[in-house]
């Protein structure tokens, strides 16, 4: 067990309300004989009722105090807007639902540790996952003077053992118990269970959080229009909204259709293969809509150069390296590239699918041409087209000719 600096200052615990962090409230108190203050950073998915439940649960578990920090707007400004601008998906499918928020949470935990005058913080990450690295890299970057406790990892506690520990003390148990590990944020939900420990199958229908009734109770198709201003979501169906509100409303629409479900299999930060189920209806819809709007208003070269940065940027966010200054350099290019990414995108929703039906923009490059693709020439003649085709074919012709004598 880790040794702490002398004193009776509180331990600041990053608290999600799940099994790991619920277990840690009484365990830390019993083993370190210090008051526990829980901090929940709301980066999405916590309404007023959920906030009340978290507060009650933390105090029932023995926390001296519980702090809820509203961070959705800051999370959007610091992370999510760049994931949209970069059309970032890991492994071509996973939109970094929850891992992207860990640096933001660590940043706030570090700030509150200094406010409260404590030098000890704790988290509930395991030894086998990514979050331990994300959280600790950020804490050590921002506040290297802090002592970090990670008992679930360092003591190798198993979920059934944690559940029994709470039951033996008649303490409150999270709704998912030991069966599933659920993390929810503004950009989506991740779900881990026995099914994701191997590569063979999916989680059961009842384990989905946002869309469990999407296929058993299919909805009639709907069409909605999403507006963007300089790459940032700015309206829904003609109603001006802040970006966070757009995300929350698009999530609610997409969830009832089962849009954005997936199981991501990829490389973890520590070098193993990992698998996690996710629901990200807002991320799936907004990235798809944004990408199609970009195609209308950006040149092909702009798109290709930006795509070269999207993968590395996503890797850095995934690995908890979002504080590295190179991310600011990439973000600067993303922002500059979005100068004309303004317009509206029409999205048709069907069970399991969100289809981009059309895009419009005052900066449409397509509308700027007098030509009609496949139908009629515009700012060029048929003779121009003939000469262009001949010139484009020259490299291939030379290559073929050069090999004919061998």
């Amino acid at each position: 067990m880790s040794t702490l600096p002398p004193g009776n200052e509180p331990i600041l615990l990053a608290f999600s309300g799940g099994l790991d962090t619920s277990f840690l409230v009484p365990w830390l108190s019993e083993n370190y004989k210090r008051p526990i203050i829980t901090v929940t950073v709301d980066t999405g998915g916590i309404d007023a009722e959920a906030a009340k439940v978290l507060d009650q649960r933390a105090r029932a578990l023995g926390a001296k105090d519980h702090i809820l920090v509203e961070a959705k707007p800051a999370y959007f400004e610091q992370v999510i807007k760049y994931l949209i601008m970069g059309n970032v998906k890991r492994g071509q499918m996973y939109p970094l639902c929850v891992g992207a928020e860990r640096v933001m949470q660590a940043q706030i935990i570090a700030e509150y540790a200094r406010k409260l005058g404590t030098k000890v913080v704790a988290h509930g990450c395991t030894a086998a996952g990514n979050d331990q690295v994300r959280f600790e890299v950020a804490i050590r970057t921002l506040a290297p003077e802090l002592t970090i406790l990670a008992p679930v990892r360092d003591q190798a506690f198993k979920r059934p053992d944690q559940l029994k520990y709470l039951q033996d003390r008649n303490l409150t148990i999270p709704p998912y118990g030991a069966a599933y590990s659920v993390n929810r944020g503004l950009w989506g939900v991740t779900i881990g269970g026995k099914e994701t420990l191997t590569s063979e199958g999916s989680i059961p229908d009842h384990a989905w959080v946002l869309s469990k009734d999407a296929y058993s109770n299919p909805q009639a198709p709907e069409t909605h229009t999403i507006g963007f201003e300089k790459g940032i979501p700015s309206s829904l169906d003609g109603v001006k909204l802040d970006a966070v509100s757009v995300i929350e409303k698009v999530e609610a629409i997409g969830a009832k259709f089962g849009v954005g479900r997936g199981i991501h299999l990829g490389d973890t930060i520590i070098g193993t293969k990992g698998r996690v189920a996710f629901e990200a209806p807002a991320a799936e819809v907004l990235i798809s809509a944004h990408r199609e709007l970009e195609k209308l208003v950006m040149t092909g070269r702009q798109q290709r150069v930006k795509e070269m940065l999207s993968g590395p940027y996503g890797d850095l966010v995934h690995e908890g390296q979002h504080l590295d200054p190179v991310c600011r350099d990439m973000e600067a290019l993303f922002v500059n590239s979005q100068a004309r990414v303004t317009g509206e995108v029409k999205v048709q929703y069907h069970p399991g699918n969100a289809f981009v039906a059309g895009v419009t923009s005052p900066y449409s490059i397509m509308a700027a041409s007098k030509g009609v693709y496949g139908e009629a020439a515009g700012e060029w003649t048929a003779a121009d087209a003939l000469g262009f085709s001949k010139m484009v074919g020259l490299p291939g012709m030379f290559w073929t000719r050069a090999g004919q004598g061998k």
Side-chain angles (χ1 to χ4, degrees), residues 148-370:
I148 304 171
L149 299 178
V152 173
R153 176 191 66 195
D154 298 342
Q155 304 291 321
F157 289 116
K158 303 298 182 186
R159 293 179 66 80
D161 296 332
Q162 296 175 53
L163 190 62
K164 184 176 185 303
Y165 180 94
L166 294 174
Q167 290 171 332
D168 288 346
R169 290 159 177 77
N170 294 316
L171 294 172
T172 181
I173 297 169
Y176 287 92
Y180 293 95
S181 175
V182 177
N183 291 283
R184 184 173 182 180
L186 183 62
W187 210 221
V189 178
T190 61
I191 307 161
K194 63 181 181 180
E195 297 86 2
T196 60
L197 299 178
T198 66
S199 62
E200 285 98 14
S202 176
I203 62 174
D205 284 345
H206 68 81
W208 297 105
V209 177
L210 301 176
S211 61
K212 64 180 63 177
D213 299 321
Y215 298 139
S216 60
N217 182 29
Q219 302 294 302
E222 295 180 14
T223 299
H224 296 274
T225 300
I226 301 167
F228 290 85
E229 291 182 8
K230 295 186 176 181
I232 294 176
S234 59
S235 67
L236 182 64
D237 295 328
V239 178
K240 285 282 187 182
L241 297 167
D242 62 90
V244 170
S245 296
V246 174
I247 291 170
E248 291 175 335
K249 290 181 181 296
V250 171
E251 177 182 88
I253 296 167
K256 65 184 181 182
F257 287 95
V259 170
R261 272 193 192 185
I263 300 185
H264 170 60
L265 194 160
D267 296 290
T268 67
I269 300 170
I270 59 177
T272 62
K273 292 288 184 182
R275 196 164 178 257
V276 67
F278 67 90
E279 295 171 282
E284 177 64 28
V285 171
L286 289 172
I287 288 176
S288 296
H290 174 265
R291 184 184 61 239
E292 294 308 302
L293 180 57
E294 280 191 329
K295 291 178 183 178
L296 182 66
V297 302
M298 291 172 64
T299 68
R301 286 176 179 168
Q302 281 182 297
Q303 294 173 61
R304 282 191 292 276
V305 169
K306 190 167 70 68
E307 286 169 2
M308 292 168 62
L309 291 184
S310 295
Y313 184 81
D315 290 344
L316 288 164
V317 172
H318 171 76
E319 293 165 7
Q321 298 287 349
H322 186 249
L323 297 174
D324 191 297
V326 72
C327 286
R328 308 294 81 77
D329 299 334
M330 295 180 182
E331 289 162 2
L333 183 139
F334 288 160
V335 169
N336 195 65
S337 74
Q338 302 298 293
R340 294 186 178 184
V341 186
T342 294
E344 292 188 329
V345 183
K346 186 180 294 184
V347 180
Q348 295 176 346
Y349 293 85
H350 303 270
N353 178 258
F355 172 70
V356 176
V359 290
T360 60
S361 171
Y363 302 108
S364 169
I365 295 175
M366 188 174 186
S369 172
K370 295 178 182 177

Side-chain angles (χ1 to χ4, degrees), residues 12 39 67-69 107-118:
L12 204 60
V39 179
I67 300 168
L68 176 67
V69 182
Q107 176 180 320
I108 291 171
I109 293 291
E111 290 173 1
Y112 269 82
R114 286 172 172 158
K115 285 181 183 178
L116 298 171
T118 183

Side-chain angles (χ1 to χ4, degrees), residues 21-22 24 30 46 127 130 156 168 185 206 209 278 323 357 392 396:
T21 56
S22 294
L24 282 181
E30 286 182 19
I46 302 177
N130 292 318
D168 288 346
H206 68 81
V209 177
F278 67 90
L323 297 174
V392 170

Side-chain angles (χ1 to χ4, degrees), residues 13-25 37-46 50-51 53-55 57-58 61 66-68 98 101-102 105 109 122-125 131 135 159 162 174-176 180-185:
L13 171 64
F15 185 74
S16 68
L19 181 59
D20 292 322
T21 56
S22 294
F23 159 76
L24 282 181
V25 176
I37 296 177
T38 52
V39 179
T40 299
V41 180
D42 180 10
T43 48
I46 302 177
V53 169
L54 281 171
D55 186 281
R57 182 179 300 159
L61 289 164
H66 175 73
I67 300 168
L68 176 67
V98 178
E101 67 195 27
R102 295 304 182 225
Q105 292 168 338
I109 293 291
H123 63 76
C125 305
D131 283 344
F135 192 86
R159 293 179 66 80
Q162 296 175 53
Y176 287 92
Y180 293 95
S181 175
V182 177
N183 291 283
R184 184 173 182 180

